[in-house]
Amino acid sequence: LKSTDARSGDADLSQWFTPFWVAEELVNDALRGLGQVHVAEPSCGTGAFLTAIPKNCPAFGVDIDPSVVPAAIANSGREVLV
């Protein structure tokens, strides 16, 4: 999966993937003025939020679905746990 993938997720796992552009807007708004923060993304999916977090902020993701972990790592370049 790539960041442009429109995959909707698995309804049985309650997966609903956030579009990358939405994650970027939300992260920019949420982190504005906070400086360097540490971030844990507990339901990272394909990594939209992990990708949007500034590279100077340490972050990692977690997901229950091992099939999306490779996409999250490829998209964000960050550690992702299952």
Side-chain angles (χ1 to χ4, degrees):
L1 298 175
K2 297 190 179 197
S3 62
T4 56
D5 190 358
R7 181 177 166 187
S8 61
D10 183 337
D12 291 336
L13 294 176
S14 296
Q15 288 176 318
W16 308 105
F17 297 124
T18 304
F20 280 71
W21 70 270
V22 172
E24 186 174 328
E25 291 292 325
L26 291 170
V27 166
N28 287 341
D29 187 52
L31 298 183
R32 185 178 302 121
L34 294 181
Q36 183 179 0
V37 296
H38 296 256
V39 180
E41 214 303 37
S43 56
C44 68
T46 57
F49 284 95
L50 285 178
T51 301
I53 295 166
K55 294 298 180 196
N56 69 323
C57 294
F60 70 94
V62 179
D63 205 281
I64 62 170
D65 182 358
S67 74
V68 298
V69 169
I73 293 169
N75 288 328
S76 70
R78 299 185 187 266
E79 180 181 14
V80 179
L81 309 171
V82 179

